[in-house]
Amino acid sequence: MILLNDHRILFGSALCLFVFLTLYIAVLPALDNQRINKPLPRQSKVLTAKEKAGKMVYIENGCVACHTQQVRNVEMDNVFGKRPSIPADFAINRRTDFWRNTANLMGTQRAGPDLTSIGERQPSAEWHLIHLYQPRAAVEASIMPSYEFLFIERDYLQPGDVEVKVPEKFLKNKRKKIVATTKALQLVAYLKSLKQTDYTDKSIVPPFLYKQTKKETEGAQGATNLPDGAELFTANCASCHQANGEGVPGAFPPLKGSPVVSGGDLELYVTIIMKGYDPRPEFATMPPVGTNANFTAEDVTAIINHERTSWGNNSKKVTLEEIKVVYDKIKK
């Protein structure tokens, strides 16, 4: 009864409940998400001023209604990116401004193609400008509406004008010049910035890292010539799991202190290397690195021994004979 009769207690209780729910439902999960999801290695920097302005043009014209920016882990999405999207892909997003949070623009509909890597699939600014002015001029079967209002017509070009070479059949007035407005150029700059970070790409790894030098390694059953596990790891694994074995939070799991690395389930360990792994939704899908790189049983043994004895891991090395049993079973 006191609670109902005293407005100060009533409003104070409501305020405390509101603050608690705000912290518990919104603030703390957001801080935790920011902590566990870090940008991918080599990921693009934050948008430039022009690209950021283009993102706002993208938002104000409702492009997200028809275009997604998320590659799903299904075969039909292979054309849209090199791999499925993961939370770390969106970790570089920044607030729109002080009052508004970032629009992630992942989208839910695909009336048009996914734009995750449109900057790589279609890097031509001229193509984008023509497509915006009249989509059917670039893609005959397109159902995308025309964004002619992002362009102006001139009798003569002025200094600094960017002319759009639209085919005559799509011009209302064939004597006029079609010129892109600032907003059109900003939107194209944003579209061209959309490039998916490919963590499977080895092109950034110096060629010498692929050289496999033979080093004599003592196994439990005698001396065996094995490749250099550290070099194999650097060439094939470090781009994701990092040279320090700590991985990337929200993207790639750490090998440092990993129970899989230090455990005794060699069949699981070898299968992960050769066939890939995707049991944990909080991390990216691991590709079949061993199969893609044509690993031999000696390669797998060398990598496993490197991982089991690096970054503070102190597990017993495996022998080539142990790995060959599992390797041959998997290959069959």
Side-chain angles (χ1 to χ4, degrees), residues 51-303:
E51 292 165 352
K52 186 175 181 181
K55 182 177 181 179
M56 297 308 298
V57 177
Y58 185 95
I59 294 171
E60 71 184 35
N61 284 283
C63 302
V64 70
C66 297
H67 294 283
T68 57
Q69 290 185 34
Q70 52 173 314
V71 181
R72 300 169 300 176
N73 192 16
V74 294
E75 186 176 356
M76 65 180 292
D77 279 16
N78 289 348
V79 297
F80 297 133
K82 302 179 181 71
R83 57 171 176 77
S85 297
I86 55 177
D89 286 321
F90 308 98
I92 63 170
N93 288 351
R94 296 291 184 268
R95 296 186 67 85
T96 301
D97 54 38
F98 180 80
W99 300 107
R100 292 176 294 176
N101 201 356
T102 301
N104 58 47
L105 305 178
M106 293 173 66
T108 58
Q109 301 293 324
R110 281 187 180 158
D114 184 272
L115 301 180
T116 297
S117 62
I118 190 61
E120 293 175 318
R121 300 201 309 268
Q122 188 50 263
S124 169
E126 291 75 13
W127 185 93
H128 284 292
L129 290 169
I130 293 172
H131 185 248
L132 287 170
Y133 181 83
Q134 177 47 263
R136 263 65 62 192
V139 182
E140 187 176 357
S142 176
I143 61 172
M144 176 175 158
S146 170
Y147 287 82
E148 291 184 20
F149 57 86
L150 293 176
F151 302 83
I152 56 178
E153 292 184 343
R154 293 195 193 280
D155 293 319
Y156 302 99
L157 295 178
Q158 299 178 4
D161 281 350
V162 177
E163 182 182 7
V164 184
K165 300 292 186 179
V166 180
E168 283 193 4
K169 62 181 290 188
F170 296 102
L171 293 174
K172 296 177 181 178
N173 189 335
K174 293 179 174 55
R175 297 181 180 179
K176 296 286 188 178
K177 305 288 187 181
I178 305 301
V179 176
T181 63
T182 299
K183 282 194 172 184
L185 296 175
Q186 290 170 341
L187 178 54
V188 169
Y190 171 67
L191 294 173
K192 289 180 63 179
S193 75
L194 299 178
K195 299 176 182 179
Q196 188 182 46
T197 302
D198 180 14
Y199 59 75
T200 64
D201 180 20
K202 297 178 187 174
S203 63
I204 67 157
V205 182
F208 74 87
L209 292 179
Y210 289 98
K211 181 179 179 182
Q212 299 177 13
T213 58
K214 298 292 183 180
K215 290 189 178 180
E216 195 170 86
T217 304
E218 289 294 327
Q221 299 179 13
T224 306
N225 288 328
L226 293 177
D228 189 315
E231 289 185 359
L232 283 170
F233 178 86
T234 301
N236 298 278
C237 315
S239 61
C240 296
H241 296 292
Q242 304 300 288
N244 58 12
E246 295 181 358
V248 177
F252 313 116
L255 301 181
K256 178 180 179 180
S258 167
V260 174
V261 172
S262 60
D265 192 345
L266 294 183
E267 183 169 348
L268 172 62
Y269 202 163
V270 177
T271 300
I272 290 173
I273 293 174
M274 296 302 299
K275 292 190 173 182
Y277 202 47
D278 189 22
R280 302 174 65 178
E282 70 271 29
F283 292 118
T285 302
M286 176 174 169
V289 174
T291 300
N292 293 342
N294 295 317
F295 279 177
T296 63
E298 289 80 2
D299 295 332
V300 176
T301 305
I303 287 180

Side-chain angles (χ1 to χ4, degrees), residues 3-23:
L3 176 65
L4 296 178
N5 292 330
D6 191 328
H7 70 279
R8 292 171 297 182
I9 297 178
L10 180 62
F11 290 135
S13 301
L15 178 62
C16 290
L17 179 61
F18 174 78
V19 171
F20 170 77
L21 291 176
T22 300
L23 290 172

